Amino acid sequence: MKRSVVLAAGLLAVALVQAATWRATLLVPANDERLTRARLERGALGHPGGPLTDALKVAVSEGQSELPEGSKLLLDVVEVADALAAGAAAAKAEKAGALALLADLPAAWTLAAADAAAKTPLLNVGNAADALREAQCRANLWHFAPSDRMKADALAQTLVARRWAQVLVLTGPSEIDRARAATAQAALKRYGLKVVATRPFKLSADPRERDLSNPLLLTGPGVAAAYDVVWVVDSDGEFGASLPYRTALPRPVVGDGGMVAVAWSPKFDRYGAPQVTRRLSKAAGRPMGAHDWPAYVAGRALIGAVASAPKGALPALHQALAQGEVDASKGVSMSLRPWDGQLRQPVLLTDGMSVVAMAPGDGVLHPTNTLDTLGADAPEKLCEARK
């Protein structure tokens, strides 16, 4: 199914509109399970609170005065059912002259779209998988959502600042959970924190597996040593949300429950953030959340590219997108890293009631940009496509 959403600077004369009309295509999953009523009502931290198209509309509305006179941007929203459909939709959009693609898709679908439209920038606004920035990276793939590694580094830096050095890690049963747990443990090692034990958990109706979902058993008998904090890796979010205040020892919970690393929180109250959150509330009846903000900042970046490119020439637009900076109410100008296509950005730490901290924090150092302490740095050279 395809629908067109007009994101424009205002009402323009027909002749001018035809002379300066730009198109972008947003690819989203058909029948997105993340947007089912049950998941939205659960409201797990970091999970979608609604369709991110809403945030794109707000971004372009804010930037409408920056667009060249007589221009507008049209967004085609295309729902795709699998990787094959994502590739076909991307190829069709490129052939039709799309300025850029945006994607909120599983990793394999995102790669299919990037490969099918290799000449067109693809802005990843929803997928946090590190592989998309590293071994499976593409030269035309840019990432506005923070990676799993960035969020793990943000959490580890915060634990160091609080001197919570002994960490118990609980890991969910999915392949995504296992990959993210490895990323978490790498971040803990990088910052000199100690994993005292790792334990698997599983939510199951099978009575033979009930011990795997019992917080007291998972955090109590048999743990190798006392721990300062529990780091839970739960991509689904249900177990992690229920873990705080149920551990055997009175300890904080971080990761996918308790204190969570996110791109954005509606509780963020600095740098004009409340106004941004309220604008989405006014437009869509809900506050801006962690899933919305990457789409919002991608929309702002697209508007900036259209505004800065001379006469709107397509190659210049692509260069402006890659080299431009964007301000999206986090207190710093943010830019795309040339070595992995990732947007440099601060990461927020929240428990849902307030923003507990922001990373990088005070005392975190880097030779050129402290934002590059979150995620893969240039010397690691993990993206072959961008070397």
Side-chain angles (χ1 to χ4, degrees):
M1 181 178 123
K2 181 174 179 179
R3 61 189 186 278
S4 291
V5 182
V6 179
L7 306 181
L11 296 176
L12 303 172
V14 172
L16 290 176
V17 168
Q18 292 176 343
T21 297
W22 300 100
R23 305 193 76 92
T25 298
L26 171 64
L27 305 178
V28 297
N31 302 316
D32 194 342
E33 293 183 356
R34 299 170 302 172
L35 300 181
T36 60
R37 180 177 177 178
R39 284 185 174 269
L40 292 178
E41 288 178 345
R42 186 190 303 168
L45 288 175
H47 288 226
L52 51 69
T53 307
D54 298 332
L56 281 173
K57 294 180 183 179
V58 172
V60 177
S61 176
E62 289 181 0
Q64 59 183 332
S65 62
E66 303 170 25
L67 291 171
E69 184 179 357
S71 67
K72 69 176 181 179
L73 178 64
L74 300 179
L75 178 68
D76 298 320
V77 183
V78 182
E79 296 181 354
V80 295
D82 53 29
L84 184 63
K92 182 177 179 180
E94 182 176 72
K95 186 176 180 180
L99 162 68
L101 301 171
L102 301 98
D104 179 25
L105 299 172
W109 303 17
T110 302
L111 291 175
D115 290 339
K119 296 179 181 179
T120 303
L122 193 157
L123 283 56
N124 169 28
V125 295
N127 197 296
D130 292 298
L132 294 178
R133 286 92 167 155
E134 298 175 1
Q136 297 177 347
C137 69
R138 300 293 189 270
N140 64 326
L141 189 54
W142 303 93
H143 308 281
F144 289 79
S147 68
D148 286 326
R149 181 172 174 183
M150 290 174 68
K151 291 184 283 188
D153 284 343
L155 279 166
Q157 289 180 11
T158 305
L159 297 190
V160 169
R162 283 157 173 72
R163 299 183 180 181
W164 296 343
Q166 310 293 316
V167 185
L168 169 63
V169 178
L170 304 183
T171 304
S174 71
E175 290 186 13
I176 294 176
D177 286 336
R178 287 190 285 272
R180 293 180 61 234
T183 298
Q185 294 199 46
L188 293 170
K189 182 178 180 180
R190 186 178 306 118
Y191 287 96
L193 302 166
K194 181 180 179 182
V195 177
V196 300
T198 60
R199 289 186 165 185
F201 70 83
K202 182 179 181 181
L203 290 178
S204 174
D206 188 336
R208 294 170 298 181
E209 297 179 321
R210 61 188 175 188
D211 289 355
L212 293 176
S213 62
N214 187 319
L216 291 176
L217 294 177
L218 290 167
T219 62
V223 174
Y227 51 91
D228 299 318
V229 61
V230 179
W231 187 315
V232 58
V233 181
D234 178 21
S235 300
D236 178 72
E238 184 174 355
F239 178 81
S242 68
L243 188 60
Y245 311 110
R246 292 178 172 85
T247 56
L249 297 179
R251 298 292 186 268
V253 174
V254 303
D256 291 319
M259 185 174 68
V260 180
V262 294
W264 188 262
S265 167
K267 301 297 183 179
F268 191 40
D269 60 3
R270 300 174 64 185
Y271 311 119
Q275 289 83 351
V276 174
T277 292
R278 282 197 293 269
R279 283 194 283 270
L280 185 61
S281 297
K282 183 177 180 180
R286 61 183 181 83
M288 182 171 291
H291 187 65
D292 301 299
W293 186 86
Y296 167 79
V297 72
R300 295 287 297 163
L302 277 179
I303 289 293
V306 172
S308 63
K311 298 182 180 180
L314 195 57
L317 283 167
H318 294 179
Q319 184 176 10
L321 178 65
Q323 298 181 355
E325 294 187 349
V326 60
D327 178 9
S329 297
K330 282 191 176 181
V332 296
S333 292
M334 293 169 283
S335 59
L336 292 160
R337 293 171 179 157
W339 60 86
D340 63 359
Q342 173 67 56
L343 181 72
R344 297 179 173 95
Q345 57 186 281
V347 173
L348 308 181
L349 289 305
T350 180
D351 61 356
M353 299 301 293
S354 67
V355 173
V356 179
M358 176 185 282
D362 294 338
V364 177
L365 303 177
H366 187 275
T368 56
N369 190 331
T370 56
L371 292 178
D372 290 335
T373 63
L374 303 177
D377 204 354
E380 296 179 64
K381 299 179 180 179
L382 298 175
C383 176
E384 293 286 344
R386 292 182 179 273
K387 289 183 180 179

